[in-house]
Amino acid sequence: MRVLVITGAGVSAESGIPTFRGEDGYWRNFSAAKLATPEAFERDPKLVWEWYSERRQRISNARPNAGHEAIAKLARQADEFLLVTQNVDDLHARARLANEAMVQIHGNIFVTRCSCCDFSYEGRGGSPEPPVRLSKGGRLRSIAPTSAQNEDIPRCPECAALMRPGVVWFGERLPWSELQRVENYLDRGTCDLVIVAGTTATFGYIIDWALRASRCGGELIEVNPEETPISQFATQLVREPAAIALPRMVDAIVSFSHR
Ligand code: OAD
């Protein structure tokens, strides 16, 4: 069985991570969908970092739910498997889904990267603490911020630009290497089973990947309490929370394939 699973914020909702849209998509009265933009960072980097720091903290304290566990179980069962997640949290990984089986197409919240050059680092801290680095000459290089307004925001030790979260913001290009991994998987063949769970599927590429993967008669199952642009193409609609529906679906698939 060849499987593609696509997930969005709804899959982590039951772990207590707020989604982007809908009722819980607000933080201090700011819309999450508007904070996750290059424009918001340009206007107020401190505010955007505060939001991401809180999100990092919340994710660190959260646990994978039964939906994450079910997807990892399906991966172990399938002959070929890829998860494409729009989630920047690490809950799929903490449910023991291997890195090779997963593409985080919108990046990783625990990565901090330079807003100008390629410098980046990964760390689980709640705030964007920069690592202490030696400059090329072997001397400690200051990464102290220069403006009082942005004094809590680290600057790049290579080029002194502001550091930012290692996530893809609305309107930004997808990371090339991760995009290639998805394209390679789709080019190698269509899927018997495609599950799209917990996403509003706002982006055309999400719909495109789901349709391409299922185009030769594969099942396209949507797991979402609400209707989305994917719904009209689905061969099966499961209008339930992911943490309830996915374990049941995966158990049924596993017991069927053991017959
Ligand atoms: P959204 O917040 O747009 O949508 C969450 C979806 O999950 C909605 O369709 C809900 O109906 C559904 N949902 C809520 N609770 C659920 C549950 N318990 N089980 C299953 N489904 C549930 O999140 P995404 O679609 O992931 O991108 O958003 C996509 C992207 O938009 C994000 O990755 C982010 C944002 O802009 C960028 O920042 C580039």
Side-chain angles (χ1 to χ4, degrees):
M1 186 177 43
R2 192 164 203 270
V3 179
L4 174 72
V5 177
I6 300 177
T7 62
V11 167
S12 294
E14 282 148 287
S15 292
I17 313 298
T19 58
F20 281 83
R21 297 169 184 85
E23 276 172 24
D24 59 350
Y26 282 83
W27 175 79
R28 295 190 199 161
N29 278 338
F30 296 103
S31 134
K34 286 200 177 137
L35 282 172
T37 62
E39 292 77 22
F41 188 71
E42 210 165 293
R43 211 169 29 243
D44 196 343
K46 197 163 181 278
L47 178 80
V48 172
W49 259 122
E50 276 169 17
W51 179 54
Y52 276 99
S53 297
E54 268 192 42
R55 255 184 115 83
R56 280 182 174 184
Q57 205 61 59
R58 193 185 270 258
I59 290 165
S60 296
N61 294 336
R63 287 179 175 205
N65 65 50
H68 298 106
E69 306 283 355
I71 291 168
K73 186 171 176 182
L74 181 59
R76 291 191 289 274
Q77 185 62 38
D79 301 308
E80 286 183 81
F81 179 94
L82 187 69
L83 167 74
V84 179
T85 183
Q86 296 161 87
N87 297 345
V88 297
D89 65 48
D90 58 355
L91 296 177
H92 283 298
R94 279 160 59 200
R96 289 175 295 121
L97 184 66
N99 280 342
E100 311 82 69
M102 167 174 52
V103 170
Q104 279 191 289
I105 201 67
H106 290 167
N108 173 351
I109 197 168
F110 294 109
V111 169
T112 300
R113 69 175 169 86
C114 178
S115 52
C116 265
C117 74
D118 289 337
F119 179 74
S120 70
Y121 56 90
E122 192 172 342
R124 298 191 53 85
S127 56
E129 297 127 9
V132 174
R133 277 174 51 97
L134 292 177
S135 72
K136 285 184 188 112
R139 288 176 35 198
L140 266 179
R141 199 163 157 169
S142 165
I143 49 174
T146 50
S147 102
Q149 197 221 338
N150 297 331
E151 65 188 9
D152 297 331
I153 304 169
R155 288 191 177 261
C156 176
E158 304 288 343
C159 74
L162 289 180
M163 297 299 282
R164 55 164 281 181
V167 300
V168 176
W169 282 328
F170 192 74
E172 292 188 316
R173 265 194 232 146
L174 298 176
W176 173 251
S177 57
E178 299 307 278
L179 192 54
Q180 285 312 302
R181 289 182 59 209
V182 181
E183 291 294 333
N184 289 344
Y185 188 72
L186 295 178
D187 286 350
R188 281 207 307 276
T190 55
C191 294
D192 309 296
L193 173 63
V194 179
I195 298 175
V196 182
T199 177
T200 43
T202 359
F203 299 113
Y205 46 86
I206 297 297
I207 302 173
D208 175 51
W209 291 336
L211 296 186
R212 269 166 67 194
S214 58
R215 71 181 181 274
C216 290
E219 285 280 341
L220 171 52
I221 305 178
E222 177 174 66
V223 179
N224 196 317
E226 288 176 21
E227 187 168 342
T228 79
I230 287 279
S231 307
Q232 60 185 306
F233 305 110
T235 55
Q236 209 182 313
L237 296 170
V238 183
R239 296 272 175 250
E240 279 179 303
I244 293 173
L246 288 172
R248 191 185 61 231
M249 285 165 57
V250 170
D251 283 347
I253 293 165
V254 171
S255 64
F256 183 78
S257 60
H258 282 165
R259 263 190 223 159

